[in-house]
Amino acid sequence: MSSVTKALDLLSHFSAARAEIGLSQLCRIAKRDKATTYRHLQALEVAGFVEQNPTSKQYRLGPAVLQLAQTREATVPRKASTERPLFDLTETTGETAHVTVLSGTKMFGLAVCDSPRHGTRAIIDIDVFPLHATASGLCALAFGPKGLMDVALADLTSFTTETATTPSALSNTVDAIRQTGFGRAMRSYETEIEGVSAPLFDQTGQFAGAVSVASVATRFTPALEHTIKEHLMIASRDITHNWGGTIPSHIEGLWAKSLTTPHALDSTS
Amino acid sequence: MSSVTKALDLLSHFSAARAEIGLSQLCRIAKRDKATTYRHLQALEVAGFVEQNPTSKQYRLGPAVLQLAQTREATVPRKASTERPLFDLTETTGETAHVTVLSGTKMFGLAVCDSPRHGTRAIIDIDVFPLHATASGLCALAFGPKGLMDVALADLTSFTTETATTPSALSNTVDAIRQTGFGRAMRSYETEIEGVSAPLFDQTGQFAGAVSVASVATRFTPALEHTIKEHLMIASRDITHNWGGTIPSHIEGLWAKSLTTPHALDSTS
DNA sequence: AACAATGGTTCAATATATGAACCACCAAAA
DNA sequence: TTTTGGTGGTTCATATATTGAACCATTGTT
């Protein structure tokens, strides 16, 4: 482990919950020597990555990180950082995958990656994803801001016979998603498409969008669903990470549970 | 120079203008060995501070900085607390305003507010403000920690014909600022920009940064200067207050004097 | 006054960083 | 096809920069 890595690792111990950390305390947390830690903090301080509260002598994150974040935000658009995870997702599942972002009260398509494997495949060509009928939209209703449900209820357009067109039906669907951590749209937008999606989070910890796989219904087996969910988790973690966020632990918990327990949904096949 | 410092220093070469940098290029810019730079980049990459564009192999800032910035913002909301005063300052003066913070021996840009009023306006796009050539930097020399002058004297880069490039010239400039309480950079960093700034103080009563207005030289009249100074005082008190500090009474005294007495500078018009 | 914290410092031992030279690869010339 | 000049990446002997036990100076508590 290089000294650079060790020094950078110190930064990871700062969080909203632990904003200021003293030297000795940091040594305990990071399980490291005091002299070394001190010197690393010095180096981080001259670079502006940490600064010292002059009164308490405790260290906290410095202004340099703001600058870097500004540059990163200005130069690396969200879309670009989804491309690799999306590509991997498509490769491993063999199905078309896409990313949607929540902007205001609408879910917009941000990026798509078509699978070259099958002759028939889902074609994603919509701009705004209906909240009540698509996996991404339902994901937003389940994990996004509260006000979203009212917006969804205002337009319960029926796309297929499976579309939830009553408040109670929609409510039930969303509740089910809150149990599993995965958005599911079973032929509710297009008759031959099964959609599965996982939520994405930004650096504020807020729901920011969804990553989804759209599979042709005829080949959507429980086994495929399981595979898709596994790789959706990976993609979601990846993209969320790229956006500066982390998957909330309760979502991770839901995922873990819904992948290990005998699947209620799968037994319907 | 520790290897940690060297590695962190690499990050400072990324900017909006230079978002992606290749290994060789970075070596030239940073004037450093390739093998070492490579290893440092590796360490930075593992920590998420940089990432590599998979196709071009170039490096760019990574997602980790977003997370750090988020916690910094959440816990030390300095930036947030400057936004209102900055906005007001821009509104009342019609000129671009910005806030810089002193961290170690460098003045970092923290926040900018562009004036929408004029077609031509100052664009603030520097990360580290030269101590000897900018209003903020001179403010730091005048009211900041003592050791700062030595640092400034070590680099008297000439940006324009007006830049103070000799110790005595710089000393005179700083002395003048100590008389008025306002930093002044008259075309000393960019030929067409006049900068005025006021110091900011933190909860310990120490100099912590500066709030500045950058005006296009051609419309910088004595009347405008007077207006700017009036509102700089307000902004400085505001921001300092938000940071838990108070303006030292001697600074208040300087301000009162320099705004009521017949202005030496103004009479030049 | 003794104690137990804290932040900060020292110095010999050595682990770790270093960089000249190297390879593999690519694209444009020759 | 070979050459050239540019990448990114790797090696290894050298020695320099890092390390941590033990230390000091302060501070607040018992």
Side-chain angles (χ1 to χ4, degrees):
Chain A
M1 195 184 212
S2 72
S3 68
V4 175
T5 305
K6 278 182 255 182
L8 292 176
D9 189 56
L10 292 178
L11 294 175
S12 67
H13 295 98
F14 292 90
S15 66
R18 232 204 292 267
E20 298 204 338
I21 311 181
L23 174 59
S24 302
Q25 194 183 355
L26 186 53
C27 292
R28 281 193 297 274
I29 298 169
K31 298 194 178 75
R32 276 227 275 293
D33 178 75
K34 192 166 61 162
T36 304
T37 304
Y38 178 66
R39 280 188 299 268
H40 286 168
L41 283 171
Q42 295 286 321
L44 290 169
E45 189 172 23
V46 296
F49 281 74
V50 301
E51 64 184 9
Q52 212 171 5
N53 183 328
T55 56
S56 70
K57 296 284 184 184
Q58 295 205 309
Y59 295 87
R60 62 179 173 226
L61 292 175
V65 298
L66 298 177
Q67 309 255 325
L68 295 178
Q70 204 166 325
T71 310
R72 158 87 188 186
E73 198 50 52
T75 55
V76 184
R78 287 207 165 172
K79 179 171 179 171
S81 61
T82 66
E83 278 166 5
R84 266 297 292 282
L86 256 196
F87 179 79
D88 292 342
L89 186 57
T90 308
E91 279 288 295
T92 50
T93 63
E95 303 289 340
T96 296
H98 64 278
V99 169
T100 47
V101 289
L102 179 69
S103 185
T105 58
K106 287 177 180 161
M107 287 292 274
F108 292 94
L110 178 70
V112 191
C113 190
D114 287 314
S115 164
R117 197 178 305 173
H118 303 291
T120 60
R121 58 173 185 262
I123 305 293
I124 311 294
D125 59 356
I126 42 176
D127 295 332
V128 179
F129 288 64
L131 292 174
H132 66 296
T134 60
S136 327
L138 292 165
C139 224
L141 291 177
F143 306 110
K146 294 204 177 63
L148 229 46
M149 183 54 97
D150 297 331
V151 178
L153 291 174
D155 175 20
L156 294 178
T157 307
S158 174
F159 295 100
T160 75
T161 55
E162 303 300 318
T163 310
T165 51
T166 66
S168 68
L170 181 57
S171 177
N172 287 341
T173 310
V174 169
D175 281 344
I177 291 172
R178 290 211 179 95
Q179 302 284 312
T180 63
F182 292 102
R184 288 283 271 108
M186 298 170 285
R187 303 163 182 246
S188 60
Y189 182 66
E190 295 189 64
T191 45
E192 293 310 317
I193 301 294
E194 297 271 358
V196 192
S197 66
L200 300 171
F201 301 87
D202 65 13
Q203 74 272 24
T204 71
Q206 300 298 301
F207 173 89
V211 53
S212 314
V213 170
S215 173
V216 175
T218 51
R219 63 168 175 264
F220 190 72
T221 61
L224 178 58
E225 178 177 358
H226 195 270
T227 309
I228 288 175
K229 284 183 174 175
E230 274 184 328
H231 291 99
L232 270 179
M233 281 173 48
I234 297 169
S236 171
R237 290 198 197 101
D238 253 8
I239 296 169
T240 292
H241 184 245
N242 285 337
W243 291 358
T246 329
I247 307 290
S249 53
H250 73 273
I251 300 280
E252 287 280 6
L254 293 176
W255 286 347
K257 209 168 60 184
S258 77
L259 282 187
T260 52
T261 56
H263 332 283
L265 281 166
D266 293 3
S267 65
T268 60
S269 67
Chain B
M1 197 185 208
S2 73
S3 69
V4 176
T5 306
K6 277 182 254 184
L8 293 176
D9 190 56
L10 292 178
L11 294 174
S12 67
H13 294 98
F14 292 90
S15 66
R18 229 203 290 271
E20 298 203 338
I21 312 182
L23 173 58
S24 302
Q25 195 183 354
L26 186 53
C27 292
R28 281 193 298 273
I29 297 170
K31 298 192 178 78
R32 277 226 275 295
D33 178 75
K34 191 167 61 163
T36 304
T37 304
Y38 179 67
R39 279 188 299 266
H40 287 168
L41 282 171
Q42 293 287 320
L44 290 169
E45 189 172 22
V46 170
F49 281 74
V50 301
E51 64 185 10
Q52 210 171 7
N53 183 329
T55 57
S56 70
K57 296 285 184 183
Q58 295 204 309
Y59 295 87
R60 62 178 173 226
L61 291 176
V65 299
L66 297 178
Q67 283 168 320
L68 293 178
Q70 180 60 28
T71 40
R72 159 81 190 191
E73 255 317 301
T75 55
V76 191
R78 279 207 177 173
K79 181 171 180 174
S81 63
T82 64
E83 277 167 4
R84 268 295 293 279
L86 256 196
F87 180 76
D88 292 344
L89 186 57
T90 308
E91 278 291 298
T92 50
T93 63
E95 302 288 340
T96 296
H98 64 278
V99 169
T100 45
V101 290
L102 178 70
S103 186
T105 57
K106 286 178 180 159
M107 286 291 275
F108 291 94
L110 178 70
V112 191
C113 189
D114 285 313
S115 164
R117 197 178 306 173
H118 303 290
T120 60
R121 58 175 186 262
I123 305 294
I124 311 295
D125 60 355
I126 42 176
D127 293 334
V128 179
F129 288 65
L131 294 174
H132 67 296
T134 61
S136 327
L138 292 165
C139 225
L141 291 177
F143 306 112
K146 294 203 176 62
L148 228 47
M149 183 55 95
D150 296 330
V151 178
L153 291 175
D155 178 21
L156 294 178
T157 306
S158 175
F159 295 100
T160 74
T161 55
E162 301 302 314
T163 310
T165 51
T166 66
S168 67
L170 182 57
S171 176
N172 287 340
T173 311
V174 170
D175 282 344
I177 291 171
R178 290 212 178 93
Q179 303 284 312
T180 62
F182 292 102
R184 287 282 273 108
M186 299 170 283
R187 302 163 182 249
S188 59
Y189 183 66
E190 295 190 62
T191 44
E192 292 311 312
I193 301 295
E194 297 270 353
V196 192
S197 65
L200 300 169
F201 301 86
D202 65 12
Q203 72 272 23
T204 70
Q206 299 299 300
F207 173 89
V211 53
S212 313
V213 169
S215 173
V216 175
T218 51
R219 61 169 176 265
F220 190 72
T221 61
L224 179 58
E225 179 176 359
H226 195 270
T227 308
I228 287 174
K229 284 182 174 174
E230 275 185 328
H231 292 99
L232 269 180
M233 281 172 49
I234 297 169
S236 171
R237 289 196 198 101
D238 251 357
I239 297 169
T240 292
H241 180 73
N242 286 339
W243 291 359
T246 332
I247 307 290
S249 52
H250 74 273
I251 299 280
E252 287 282 6
L254 292 176
W255 285 348
K257 209 168 61 182
S258 79
L259 283 186
T260 51
T261 55
H263 330 283
L265 281 167
D266 294 3
S267 65
T268 59
S269 66

